[in-house]
Amino acid sequence: MSLFNTKYDVIVVGGGHAGSEAAAASANLGAHTLLITMNLQNIAQMSCNPAMGGIAKGQIVREIDALGGYSAIVTDKTAIQFKMLNKSKGPAMWSPRAQSDRMEFAACWRTMLEQTENLDFYQDSVNGLVFEGNKITGVKTALGLTISAKTVIVTAGTFLNGQIHIGEKTFGGGRAGEGSSTGITEDLVQMGFESGRMKTGTPPRVDSRSLDYSKMTEQPGDQNPEKFSYLHTTTALKKQRSCYLTYTNPKVHELLREGFERSPMFNGRIQSTGPRYCPSVEDKINRFSEKERHQIFVEPEGWETVEIYVNGFSTSLPEDIQDKAIRAIDGFENVKFLRYGYAIEYDYFPPTQLKHNLETKLVSNLFFAGQINGTTGYEEAAAQGLMAGINAALKTQNKEAFILKRNEVYIGVLIDDLITKGTEEPYRMFTSRAEYRTLLRQDNADIRLTKKSFDIGLARQERLDRVSTKIKKTESFIDFLKNLSVTKEEINPILEEKNLAVITQSMKVYKIASRPQLKFKDLEDIDSIQQYIQNNNIDSEIIEQVEIHLKYSGYIKKEKSNADKLNRLENVPIPATFNYEKVKSLSYEAREKLSKIQPTSISQASRISGVSPSDISVLLVYMGR
């Protein structure tokens, strides 16, 4: 089948994390999909650190998996270390994180995509978009091809008019060793889109053989590592590779300051906004001048390679400054560079120009996902790609859009924040952004989302069966514990060992287990509980669900009640044709913001900066409430 006479259902522009998830989702929903990328060797490349997950990001990866995406499966197959972060805190804060083998990660992604039906590939650069009125109909490539499509998803990452900065040097590029992409921004601006510039950066890569690890602190993985995917995927973690921790010091800071006048960040050549929560090392010592040291995480890039990612030392300073300063860090005295750190500026499009399904408001059938929307991070990009891929495919099938709410999923928080509030700096997900984070835990993403994904045709029967079994076993075990009484002879020795108040008469296990100082494993030796676990094949995943319920059911119930209140406002729609200018009792700022963002519900309107509670009251009156 020739590219010249094929009209695809979905064309995905860009093969990064957003593009890969988008292509997989649309193809798995039955849409004939074409993935166009500048280099097929770099599909889903980990351009920055070789890790997936982390605080809030790990929750997103679990959600992608529950919805039928590939990121978690690939991470499990290529992991070299796994950690569950924040285990000392409540379960809303537990966040899985894995180091991956960077080369294996990209190779595994490509293999999975090549095994996906309905998905074609083409290596070329897209340098133009084809429109008919306010509707997109295809793309133009650098080789001069025009390829037709019903829908197009742009996931261009940092490649749109990308500029790389190292000290005084500036050159075009979307990533080290790769050219930038031109033409798309210009076509979109001509159609009336607003664009902006953002910045991100990456640390040097160095040779592990030149480092002295005896001067660093070893950071091993978990003793009993978990996985990301809820499926029975294979994991590479029969062994693990350690990371290491060291620190900058006043000497390092002094050497870095010597290069500030030559830094593109400080001499005015970079004027765009960088990520607040992942700043460059020069930005850190400038903003936090009172600090004498900053953490440096020494992260291996794979099982066999000597390449090391110097996490915490992101920089665009000149090469000679990078070289001198890094050698003053303990363990780096004889370091050999494989690649210097650099900053990159690129175009993005303020995401208030999108609908909740990630389709643009100005042009129908055109979707944006990833860094083009002002986000940073593999996980945020992959989540948007998945949702854009789903919605593009559904659009070609004349089906209703698939939209997830803030109280259902971190992905819903991410997209709603972007669409409703916009962003003027690279957006990164945090647990604090989610109002209902006790509900949106990493352990229950499958319970929250698998049925929704199955209903639209993405999640397979295997996933639904697995989560159905999990729910049934969890509920049955909780009921068992609610009805099980233990004698003081059975439980008091356990309580005494924990220095807890003993009981004087038989009591329900459910009540005793709610004590915060007790862990469920403390109760597993009670004969009746042990027998139930063995007879019903209860695994650690079920036990974790039960323990969270025992300890946090009050908090969970309260958050569900609050979420229900939000849903009542979500169910008050605002017509797309509503004219805010006619509502003179709205504040001027509210009329301006509401007219620009065009919220679809009262709840969304209430989250727009500049829209006050009194403005919402006015709107409720107009909506007949």
Side-chain angles (χ1 to χ4, degrees), residues 50 70 77 117 120 176 216 259 283 297 323 346 351 372 379-380 389 402 423 479 549 611 623:
Y70 289 179
K77 289 183 175 182
E117 291 184 19
D120 295 340
M216 307 178 196
D283 196 24
F297 293 95
D323 198 282
Y346 55 93
I372 191 173
E379 302 83 359
E380 290 88 343
F402 183 63
T423 186
D479 287 342
H549 180 86
V611 177
M623 297 302 129

Side-chain angles (χ1 to χ4, degrees), residues 12-16 20 34-44 120-126 155 159 175 178:
V12 179
V13 178
S20 296
L34 176 66
L35 174 62
I36 305 180
T37 180
M38 295 169 74
N39 190 340
L40 286 169
Q41 304 305 316
N42 294 336
I43 284 177
D120 295 340
F121 305 87
Y122 177 57
Q123 181 171 297
D124 200 348
S125 175
V126 171
T155 69
F159 283 77
R175 190 160 48 203
E178 297 180 66

Side-chain angles (χ1 to χ4, degrees), residues 129-138 149-154 187-193 349 353-355 357-368 395:
L129 303 174
V130 183
F131 305 101
E132 285 183 9
N134 64 345
K135 181 179 178 182
I136 194 160
T137 58
K150 296 177 183 176
T151 62
V152 173
I153 307 172
V154 180
D187 281 356
L188 290 170
V189 169
Q190 194 170 359
M191 288 294 293
F193 284 89
F349 289 80
Q353 299 172 100
L354 301 176
K355 304 173 186 176
N357 65 348
L358 297 181
E359 184 181 18
T360 67
K361 294 173 182 175
L362 276 175
V363 175
S364 63
N365 299 342
L366 174 63
F367 296 77
F368 292 167
K395 188 85 187 280

Side-chain angles (χ1 to χ4, degrees), residues 144-358:
L145 275 68
T146 297
I147 308 173
S148 298
K150 296 177 183 176
T151 62
V152 173
I153 307 172
V154 180
T155 69
T158 59
F159 283 77
L160 292 182
N161 293 319
Q163 286 283 118
I164 292 175
H165 301 269
I166 303 178
E168 299 94 337
K169 303 179 182 71
T170 299
F171 47 93
R175 190 160 48 203
E178 297 180 66
S180 59
S181 173
T182 59
I184 292 177
T185 295
E186 292 74 14
D187 281 356
L188 290 170
V189 169
Q190 194 170 359
M191 288 294 293
F193 284 89
E194 175 192 350
S195 71
R197 295 283 278 177
M198 280 190 178
K199 176 193 85 75
T200 189
T202 190
R205 309 307 199 271
V206 301
D207 190 328
S208 65
R209 297 170 297 183
S210 64
L211 303 181
D212 184 352
Y213 290 100
S214 68
K215 295 182 178 180
M216 307 178 196
T217 304
E218 187 174 5
Q219 304 272 293
D222 289 347
Q223 276 194 330
N224 298 302
E226 298 180 36
K227 305 188 297 90
F228 263 107
S229 180
Y230 292 101
L231 295 178
H232 293 294
T233 51
T234 57
T235 174
L237 292 178
K238 297 178 178 67
K239 56 178 180 173
Q240 295 190 69
R241 280 204 70 175
S242 290
C243 298
Y244 288 82
L245 175 65
T246 184
Y247 296 89
T248 62
N249 54 60
K251 177 66 174 174
V252 175
H253 299 179
E254 180 187 330
L255 291 168
L256 288 169
R257 285 192 185 96
E258 288 180 11
F260 276 12
E261 63 183 27
R262 298 165 61 199
S263 164
M265 270 189 58
F266 295 112
N267 65 18
R269 277 197 297 114
I270 293 180
Q271 296 184 343
S272 50
T273 309
R276 178 192 303 243
Y277 303 104
C278 189
S280 65
V281 67
E282 55 263 39
D283 196 24
K284 281 191 282 191
I285 65 172
N286 184 53
R287 282 166 51 192
F288 308 107
S289 55
E290 73 284 357
K291 284 198 170 187
E292 292 196 345
R293 69 177 193 173
H294 296 281
Q295 291 179 322
I296 299 293
F297 293 95
V298 180
E299 300 179 348
E301 295 256 3
W303 288 114
E304 306 296 338
T305 181
V306 300
E307 190 170 356
I308 292 292
Y309 179 88
V310 190
N311 195 343
F313 205 84
S314 177
T315 182
S316 58
L317 287 166
E319 300 96 309
D320 57 319
I321 300 296
Q322 292 188 39
D323 198 282
K324 281 193 297 185
I326 206 168
R327 289 177 189 277
I329 297 173
D330 286 346
F332 281 76
E333 293 83 358
N334 299 305
V335 68
K336 292 181 180 178
F337 279 79
L338 298 181
R339 186 171 82 197
Y340 289 102
Y342 62 87
I344 181 166
E345 281 188 294
Y346 55 93
D347 293 339
Y348 86 105
F349 289 80
T352 51
Q353 299 172 100
L354 301 176
K355 304 173 186 176
H356 271 88
N357 65 348
L358 297 181

